[in-house]
């Protein structure tokens, strides 16, 4: 679990929309993903979490920074075969199960796309057998291979998307809000399927979502993003029990509690970015407060957080 | 309340996995398309019509024993009869023979113009939209400039430089004709290229040509086919217009377009000289339209019953 699979180093992704209009979707974030873990990435809409995922998998060329996969830079110049090697190791599951499957292809051909591109099957029989095996793995009947995507429901379509990603035998899967377009009862099925596949195939996940309770359920560690920056990164329980950054606290205070009395008493904390009052000299950066718990703050705030924790420990 | 009685229900012995079982044979996408196409009656009528027209274009000119170019001034402007099935024209030539001789040229021009437009337009528009940015800008501005040049001017230029021939005429027609197709394909591809299934194909390592072939073009097929079926009649009419100006075919060669324009002045007295070529132009357009429609529907799996 301590082996680093992916290192993201000072990753920046800026989009030029006009002459003087640059959107800094991802603005200098760094984190590591360890082999076999699930790293959750949360944040509000437009904070750059999906862009982070898409940049890691090379759908966008990074403006600056590096993504190292087993120590090798993903974004450097590469020849075709090196690229294909990366494509097999890293895969993605998409958000909208209605947009992520080509309506003109049969489910079997959709799933076999990776097999075809990488030449993983020697003949038609082997290809068909692999497709059936993948369908079985994600809990669908083999007959789905001959159907079209519009004949399947949202949850079934998401399973097809997962099977397509698994076809090339990846080690690392970026799940870009894989459950937010689904019905709540189906969400649990898909998340449990992902957990099962993680155990069976020894997968590593980057799980992007905005449903905090679901993220806590599936993730080992969680990163919180705000406006293109990673503001806090900690093991899941640690983050939920001892949130330090005011934005994380605000996010956690927004989770509804399934208990009417507690829900009535719940007070939503609002995050006001001006409370930091960073001076020109202060360079806020990631600080490790306790082992594995990082927070984005200035030196001054770090002392506050540390003393706050000391008081809490003395009281508790 | 009586408890649920065991003996009122019995297990049917169906396994959970079989619940989804739909026995449908594993047809490929194209087999599926063809089955749907064959079921479309109107499209089949169009197909039969087109096959008939092509058959007649090949064998028609040899059926009567008359040839299309020999003048016979003693037999001019005859009405349809057993001897001359479609009558004769103002130089005494057999209209039946000339109609099928003309069919060869008209169909050839119509189909080849449509196919060349398709080939250039799809590749040009597809690459411009998929690459985007600077490439798109340069490619589409080039197309705009070409579109601004009057095609008649280009046609005259081509005739002068390359000499008058069928090839030159097709070339002159397609030199600007593909732009329409390119614009339509570009618009469609622009709206499709950021769909998640395209991103998924890219993360799987698909190159541009594969994404074009497997994802973009099949999903753009509807507008492409509609544009193509409209190109065929346009090309047939353009040819007759160019011939009328003296830029196209020169007599005694015949095409439906030239026959129709020759027959027009005599419509009051010898209507068959206009009627037959015009009727076959209509039939051809009809056939291409219903075939195009049928193909578009057949290619859309959502219409599968």
């Amino acid at each position: 679990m301590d082996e680093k699979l992916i290192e993201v180093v000072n990753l920046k992704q800026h989009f030029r929309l006009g002459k003087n209009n640059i959107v800094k979707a991802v603005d200098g974030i760094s984190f590591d993903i360890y082999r076999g873990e699930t790293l959750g990435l949360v944040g509000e809409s437009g904070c750059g979490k999906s862009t982070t995922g898409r940049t890691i998998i090379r759908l966008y060329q990074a403006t600056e920074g590096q993504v190292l996969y087993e120590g090798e830079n993903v974004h450097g110049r590469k020849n075709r075969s090196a690229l294909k090697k990366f494509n097999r190791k890293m895969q993605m599951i998409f958000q909208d199960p209605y947009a992520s499957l080509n309506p003109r292809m049969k489910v079997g051909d959709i799933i076999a796309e990776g097999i075809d591109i990488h030449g993983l099957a020697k003949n038609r029989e082997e290809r068909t057998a692999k497709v059936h095996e993948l369908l079985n793995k994600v809990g669908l009947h083999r007959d789905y291979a001959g159907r079209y995507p519009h004949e399947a429901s949202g949850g079934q379509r998401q399973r097809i998307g997962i099977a397509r990603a698994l076809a090339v035998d990846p080690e690392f899967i970026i799940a870009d809000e894989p459950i937010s377009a689904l019905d709540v009862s189906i969400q649990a099925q898909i998340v449990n399927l992902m957990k099962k596949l993680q155990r069976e195939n020894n997968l590593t996940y980057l799980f992007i979502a905005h449903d905090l309770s679901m993220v806590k359920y599936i993730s080992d560690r969680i990163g919180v993003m705000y406006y293109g920056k990673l503001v806090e990164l900690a093991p899941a329980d640690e983050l939920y029990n001892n949130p330090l950054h005011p934005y994380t606290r605000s996010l956690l205070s927004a989770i509804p509690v399934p208990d009417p009395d507690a829900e009535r008493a719940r007070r939503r904390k609002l995050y006001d970015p001006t409370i930091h009052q960073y001076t020109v000299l202060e360079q806020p950066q990631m600080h490790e407060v306790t082992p594995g718990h990082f927070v984005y703050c200035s030196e001054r705030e770090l002392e506050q957080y540390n003393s706050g924790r000391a008081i809490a420990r003395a009281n508790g | 309340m009586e408890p649920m009685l065991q003996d009122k229900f019995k297990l049917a012995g169906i396994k959970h996995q079989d619940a989804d079982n739909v026995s449908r044979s594993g047809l490929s996408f194209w087999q599926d398309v063809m089955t749907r196409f064959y079921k479309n009656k109107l499209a089949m009528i169009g197909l039969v019509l087109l096959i008939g027209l092509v058959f007649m274009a090949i064998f028609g000119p040899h059926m009567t024993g008359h040839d299309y170019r020999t003048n016979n001034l003693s037999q001019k402007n005859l009405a349809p009869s057993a001897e001359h099935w479609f009558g004769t024209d103002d130089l005494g030539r057999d209209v039946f023979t000339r109609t099928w001789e003309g069919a060869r040229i008209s169909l050839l021009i119509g189909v080849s113009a449509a196919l060349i437009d398709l080939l250039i337009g799809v590749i040009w528009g597809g690459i411009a939209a998929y690459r985007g940015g600077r490439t798109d800008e340069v490619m589409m501005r080039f197309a705009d400039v070409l579109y601004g040049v009057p095609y008649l001017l280009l046609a005259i230029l081509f005739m002068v430089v390359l000499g008058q021939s069928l090839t030159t005429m097709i070339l002159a027609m397609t030199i600007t004709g593909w732009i329409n197709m390119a614009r339509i394909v570009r618009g469609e591809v622009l709206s499709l290229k950021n769909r998640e299934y395209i991103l998924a194909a890219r993360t799987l390592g698909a190159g541009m040509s594969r994404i074009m072939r497997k994802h973009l073009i099949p999903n753009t097929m509807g507008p492409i086919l509609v544009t193509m079926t409209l190109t065929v009649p346009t090309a047939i009419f353009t040819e007759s217009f160019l011939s009328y100006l003296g830029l196209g075919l020169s007599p005694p060669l015949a095409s439906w377009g030239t026959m129709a324009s020759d027959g027009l002045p005599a419509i009051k007295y010898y209507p068959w000289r206009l009627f037959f070529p015009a009727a076959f132009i209509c039939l051809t357009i009809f056939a291409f339209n219903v075939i195009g429609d049928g193909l578009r529907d057949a290619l859309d799996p959502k219409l599968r019953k």
Side-chain angles (χ1 to χ4, degrees):
Chain A
M1 169 89 180
D2 291 318
E3 188 196 342
K4 279 180 191 172
L5 186 67
I6 286 186
E7 291 167 76
V8 176
V9 187
N10 192 28
L11 189 69
K12 287 186 184 174
Q13 182 68 54
H14 298 176
F15 295 108
R16 278 194 90 92
L17 295 183
K19 247 196 177 133
N20 295 312
N21 186 7
I22 295 177
V23 173
K24 297 181 174 177
V26 177
D27 198 20
I29 65 171
S30 306
F31 57 88
D32 300 330
I33 302 173
Y34 298 101
R35 192 181 285 279
E37 77 163 346
T38 301
L39 178 69
L41 204 55
V42 295
E44 64 196 48
S45 306
C47 71
K49 39 188 205 306
S50 286
T51 308
T52 305
R54 289 181 177 190
T55 307
I56 289 176
I57 203 167
R58 281 182 64 107
L59 280 174
Y60 302 135
Q61 271 303 329
T63 311
E64 218 185 294
Q66 289 181 314
V67 178
L68 303 175
Y69 191 95
E70 291 174 325
E72 212 177 322
N73 192 3
V74 176
H75 279 266
R77 276 187 174 280
K78 294 230 155 36
N79 56 27
R80 270 187 102 80
S81 63
L83 269 182
K84 281 204 163 175
K85 201 183 73 191
F86 271 118
N87 289 327
R88 281 196 60 183
K89 287 185 173 170
M90 250 192 247
Q91 273 304 307
M92 192 152 182
I93 301 170
F94 291 88
Q95 175 175 8
D96 182 355
Y98 289 88
S100 65
L101 306 177
N102 185 346
R104 307 252 164 163
M105 274 166 98
K106 293 207 167 193
V107 170
D109 293 328
I110 291 174
I111 293 175
E113 180 150 35
I115 298 175
D116 295 342
I117 291 171
H118 296 281
L120 301 181
K122 283 180 214 76
N123 48 40
R124 280 209 81 79
E125 289 78 47
E126 197 183 334
R127 182 177 182 267
T128 316
K130 281 199 167 177
V131 168
H132 287 170
E133 189 196 320
L134 285 161
L135 278 169
N136 186 37
K137 208 169 207 171
V138 297
L140 288 175
H141 193 272
R142 53 162 60 184
D143 273 358
Y144 275 91
R147 298 190 192 177
Y148 287 97
H150 70 268
E151 293 170 292
S153 69
Q156 289 168 333
R157 283 163 155 255
Q158 201 58 293
R159 287 170 193 266
I160 296 166
I162 293 173
R164 168 177 61 192
L166 289 178
V168 291
D169 239 336
E171 296 174 330
F172 174 56
I173 289 183
I174 297 171
D176 185 3
E177 309 209 25
I179 52 170
S180 44
L182 302 175
D183 189 84
V184 181
S185 58
I186 310 294
Q187 288 189 355
Q189 288 180 14
I190 297 296
V191 167
N192 287 333
L193 172 68
M194 286 179 67
K195 282 192 144 188
K196 186 193 92 166
L197 294 170
Q198 183 167 38
R199 280 193 305 274
E200 287 174 359
N201 291 21
N202 199 17
L203 295 169
T204 307
Y205 286 138
L206 175 64
F207 193 89
I208 300 167
H210 53 240
D211 181 339
L212 294 160
S213 31
M214 201 51 106
V215 171
K216 181 167 188 267
Y217 176 65
I218 194 172
S219 305
D220 299 307
R221 293 189 306 141
I222 296 173
V224 180
M225 276 186 81
Y226 183 74
Y227 274 84
K229 297 233 190 283
L230 195 64
V231 295
E232 193 159 359
L233 176 68
D237 291 327
E238 168 75 8
L239 187 93
Y240 275 73
N241 298 332
N242 297 312
L244 287 179
H245 197 276
Y247 180 67
T248 313
R249 292 175 179 213
S250 161
L251 267 188
L252 292 177
S253 75
I255 304 175
V257 191
D259 169 11
D261 293 328
E263 177 64 16
R264 214 167 286 133
R266 181 168 68 86
R267 285 284 164 269
R268 176 88 165 84
K269 289 178 197 147
L270 289 178
Y271 173 57
D272 176 13
T274 57
I275 61 157
H276 296 294
Q277 292 184 332
Y278 293 132
T279 59
V280 189
L281 291 174
E282 279 176 326
Q283 287 281 333
Q285 51 179 315
M286 288 305 258
H287 289 285
E288 190 164 16
V289 184
T290 52
H293 190 159
F294 296 86
V295 64
Y296 181 78
C297 61
S298 60
E299 298 285 345
R300 176 170 48 84
E301 282 176 312
L302 183 65
E303 276 170 38
Q304 281 175 19
Y305 292 152
N306 279 331
S307 60
R309 286 183 66 88
I311 293 165
R313 210 173 297 127
N315 290 344
Chain B
M1 269 286 284
E2 218 177 352
M4 202 165 69
L5 290 175
Q6 291 272 322
D7 56 320
K8 285 196 175 167
F9 297 92
K10 69 175 181 197
L11 286 170
I14 293 170
K15 287 196 194 98
H16 177 70
Q17 277 283 299
D18 295 335
D20 266 338
N21 212 336
V22 179
S23 41
R24 184 187 280 152
S25 53
L27 293 173
S28 80
F29 179 75
W30 286 105
Q31 283 169 318
D32 244 20
V33 168
M34 290 331 281
T35 334
R36 260 172 284 159
F37 185 74
Y38 291 140
K39 275 187 191 152
N40 186 336
K41 283 209 183 73
L42 207 57
M44 287 316 287
I45 293 174
L47 190 65
V48 169
L49 210 60
L50 192 65
I51 291 171
L53 284 167
V54 171
F55 178 85
M56 285 306 286
I58 296 168
F59 299 106
H62 311 294
M63 280 170 133
T64 55
H66 299 286
D67 84 35
Y68 74 97
R69 52 189 301 172
T70 313
N71 299 355
N72 188 347
L73 292 175
S74 63
Q75 295 200 337
K76 62 182 189 177
N77 292 326
L78 294 179
S81 64
E83 173 66 20
H84 297 288
W85 294 344
F86 290 176
T88 59
D89 66 4
D90 55 346
L91 295 171
R93 295 172 296 195
D94 183 45
V95 174
F96 182 84
T97 313
R98 282 181 71 75
T99 299
W100 298 119
E101 194 65 36
R104 293 181 177 186
I105 287 168
S106 288
L107 286 176
L108 181 70
I109 285 178
V111 172
S112 54
L115 286 181
I116 294 171
D117 280 6
L118 173 82
L119 194 72
I120 303 177
V122 168
I123 293 176
W124 194 275
I127 290 177
Y130 188 72
R131 287 265 180 235
R134 187 61 47 87
T135 319
D136 182 29
E137 199 75 6
V138 170
M139 288 176 88
M140 290 324 282
R141 286 308 80 79
F142 175 77
D144 287 347
V145 169
L146 207 57
Y147 201 70
V149 181
Y151 87 95
L152 207 57
L153 201 71
L154 278 175
I156 295 170
L157 205 72
F158 269 76
M159 297 294 172
V160 170
V161 176
L162 297 172
Q164 230 157 324
S165 76
L166 206 58
T167 331
T168 320
M169 189 148 54
I170 293 170
L171 206 66
M173 249 181 251
T174 47
I175 200 83
T176 55
W178 60 269
I179 294 170
N180 211 4
M181 179 68 88
R183 283 186 174 160
I184 284 164
V185 172
R186 174 177 173 270
E188 288 290 317
V189 170
L190 272 184
S191 80
L192 291 175
K193 74 166 181 179
N194 282 324
R195 294 280 170 94
E196 288 187 337
Y197 61 83
I198 307 286
L199 299 183
R202 280 172 59 195
T203 61
L204 282 166
M208 185 168 89
S209 78
R210 187 186 166 89
I211 288 176
M212 281 287 205
R213 272 184 299 116
K214 294 268 172 180
H215 299 283
L216 291 172
I217 293 174
N219 281 290
T220 324
M221 223 52 211
I224 288 179
L225 281 168
V226 171
T227 316
M228 247 183 99
T229 47
L230 291 177
T231 312
V232 176
T234 312
I236 292 175
F237 286 129
T238 307
E239 178 271 326
S240 73
F241 177 63
L242 288 176
S243 301
Y244 184 72
L245 290 177
L247 291 169
L249 299 170
S250 39
L253 278 175
S255 75
W256 287 343
T258 54
M259 289 174 72
S261 57
D262 286 347
L264 194 58
I267 185 167
K268 263 187 176 168
Y269 313 105
Y270 318 114
W272 56 88
R273 282 175 48 196
L274 176 63
F275 175 78
F276 289 107
F280 285 110
I281 292 177
C282 290
L283 278 180
T284 310
I285 296 168
F286 171 76
F288 275 110
N289 270 323
V290 292
I291 290 173
D293 247 27
L295 266 181
R296 193 193 52 198
D297 290 350
L299 282 165
D300 189 350
K302 280 185 189 154
L303 295 173
R304 180 161 92 169
K305 286 175 194 102

